[in-house]
């Protein structure tokens, strides 16, 4: 199974998951299917980083799409700000960008780059907190949504979709990439971490909990992606590179609008 097939499977699972998320009265098992999408995307981004011929271009592309998605969310949230609906926060380009950025720093094998990145994480976290909680800009329905906007711009691991746990998973997958048994161990550990964090802290409703553990109580079922990843044959496939970059924002906007109009149907008659 090549990376293109893995990405197609992940896209289908993601679409089903987002149908369940945005469209009212859909069954919960749509979300169960969707749990395999994130780990597959993380795995393929790690593989993409390993084999890309131009890592700087790869990193720049991910950041530009992350930046673009954050402003799409900003626009949509402002258009629908007067309606009682949840803010749009989806931007998985941001954690993928951070995974590739950290892997690039690791590849340099120079401690000063890791140190500078760590310092920036502290500075950007302060900036995100200042802008999101104190200044309250953008003025969305929650500080968490504000933080996601700035986190995507500043590249802060604590203020992006999925939170630091999935970024760590990407790093460990890269370190474990050469042996399939290591991949299984990494996935098992992180699936357990998702289960435990949800069980231990999932009931706490606050901004920090939403940023650190922003996933469902059944996120641990992502372990079901392991058999698919173990079938990976180290081949690239046909690519379809820009299809995945374009499909992500397009399907989210469409499903968000469909969900909005199903929840707020226009009045009939004159």
């Amino acid at each position: 199974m090549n990376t293109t097939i893995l990405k197609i499977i992940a896209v289908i699972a993601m679409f089903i998951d987002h149908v369940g998320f945005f469209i009212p009265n859909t069954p919960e098992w749509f979300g169960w299917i969707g749990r395999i999408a994130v780990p597959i995307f993380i795995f393929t981004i790690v593989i993409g980083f390993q084999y890309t011929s131009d890592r700087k271009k790869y990193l720049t592309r991910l950041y530009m799409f992350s930046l673009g998605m954050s402003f799409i969310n900003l626009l949509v949230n402002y258009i629908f700000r007067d309606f009682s609906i949840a803010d749009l926060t989806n931007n998985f380009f941001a954690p993928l960008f951070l995974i590739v950025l950290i892997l690039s720093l690791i590849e340099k094998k120079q401690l000063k780059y890791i140190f500078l990145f760590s310092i920036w994480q502290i500075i950007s976290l302060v900036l995100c907190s200042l802008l999101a909680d104190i200044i309250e800009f953008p003025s969305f329905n929650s500080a968490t949504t504000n933080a996601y906007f700035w986190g995507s711009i500043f590249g802060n691991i604590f203020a992006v979709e999925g939170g630091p746990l999935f970024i760590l998973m990407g790093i460990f997958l890269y370190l474990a990439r050469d042996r399939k048994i290591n991949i299984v161990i990494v996935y098992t550990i992180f699936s357990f971490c998702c289960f435990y964090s949800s069980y231990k802290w999932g009931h706490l409703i606050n901004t920090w909990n939403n940023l650190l553990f922003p996933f469902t109580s059944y996120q641990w079922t992502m372990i079901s992606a392991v058999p698919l990843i173990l079938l990976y044959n180290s081949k690239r496939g046909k690519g379809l590179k820009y299809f995945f970059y374009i499909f992500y924002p397009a399907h989210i906007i469409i499903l968000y609008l469909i969900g909005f109009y199903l929840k707020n149907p226009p009045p009939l008659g004159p």
Side-chain angles (χ1 to χ4, degrees):
M1 186 177 294
N2 58 48
T3 52
T4 298
I5 295 175
L6 281 174
K7 287 180 182 178
I8 290 173
I9 292 172
V11 164
I12 294 172
M14 176 183 67
F15 180 77
I16 294 171
D17 180 44
H18 286 158
V19 168
F21 183 78
F22 289 112
I23 307 302
N25 302 318
T26 49
E28 187 182 54
W29 56 264
F30 277 31
W32 302 347
I33 294 175
R35 294 315 94 192
I36 71 171
V38 165
I40 292 177
F41 278 129
I42 292 176
F43 178 76
T44 56
I45 209 74
V46 167
I47 297 300
F49 170 79
Q50 183 180 3
Y51 291 110
T52 183
S53 58
D54 191 337
R55 290 180 175 177
K56 184 179 292 186
K57 184 178 179 181
Y58 191 46
L59 189 62
T60 301
R61 181 168 63 245
L62 281 169
Y63 180 71
M64 294 307 297
F65 274 91
S66 172
L67 192 65
M69 193 68 206
S70 66
F71 280 97
I72 288 173
N73 290 344
L74 177 71
L75 178 62
V76 171
N77 290 335
Y78 269 119
I79 291 174
F80 294 93
R81 65 185 182 276
D82 295 327
F83 298 91
S84 299
I85 57 173
D87 290 325
L88 186 61
T89 60
N90 300 72
N91 186 3
F92 206 67
F93 290 125
L96 295 181
F97 160 74
L98 283 166
I99 290 171
V100 173
L101 175 61
I102 295 171
L103 295 183
S104 299
L105 299 179
I106 292 173
E107 285 283 297
K108 290 182 180 297
K109 297 180 180 179
Q110 294 187 35
L111 189 59
K112 67 177 182 179
Y113 292 111
I114 302 296
F115 176 75
L116 290 173
F117 177 79
S118 301
I119 294 298
W120 174 247
Q121 290 304 299
I122 296 172
I123 294 172
S124 61
L125 183 61
V126 172
L127 288 173
C128 287
S129 300
L130 175 67
L131 293 166
D133 291 329
I134 299 175
I135 298 178
E136 296 183 349
F137 179 82
S139 55
F140 295 142
N141 293 327
S142 71
T144 301
T145 308
N146 297 343
Y148 275 158
F149 175 76
W150 292 113
S152 298
I153 292 174
F154 295 140
N156 186 271
I157 62 175
F158 296 101
V160 293
E161 185 181 7
L165 197 60
F166 289 124
I167 295 172
L168 282 173
M169 185 172 71
I171 297 168
F172 279 99
L173 275 178
Y174 179 73
L175 299 175
R177 67 192 184 281
D178 293 329
R179 297 187 63 190
K180 290 186 176 181
I181 184 61
N182 292 341
I183 293 174
V184 172
I185 292 172
V186 167
Y187 264 94
T188 302
I189 290 173
F190 277 90
S191 296
F192 174 78
C193 288
C194 287
F195 171 80
Y196 182 79
S197 59
S198 177
Y199 172 78
K200 187 72 174 179
W201 301 292
H203 63 285
L204 301 175
I205 307 300
N206 56 62
T207 300
W208 280 109
N209 188 60
N210 290 336
L211 292 175
L212 292 173
F213 312 111
F215 38 76
T216 64
S217 60
Y218 49 84
Q219 182 64 47
W220 63 271
T221 58
M222 69 182 190
I223 198 172
S224 59
V226 170
L228 296 172
I229 292 173
L230 292 180
L231 291 174
Y232 172 61
N233 59 11
S234 301
K235 295 182 180 179
R236 180 180 177 183
K238 294 186 178 297
L240 300 177
K241 177 172 61 179
Y242 285 101
F243 166 77
F244 302 109
Y245 285 101
I246 295 170
F247 179 83
Y248 181 80
H251 90 283
I252 284 177
I253 295 170
I254 292 170
L255 290 176
Y256 183 89
L257 293 175
I258 292 173
F260 169 76
Y261 284 107
L262 288 176
K263 294 174 185 175
N264 302 271
L268 298 176

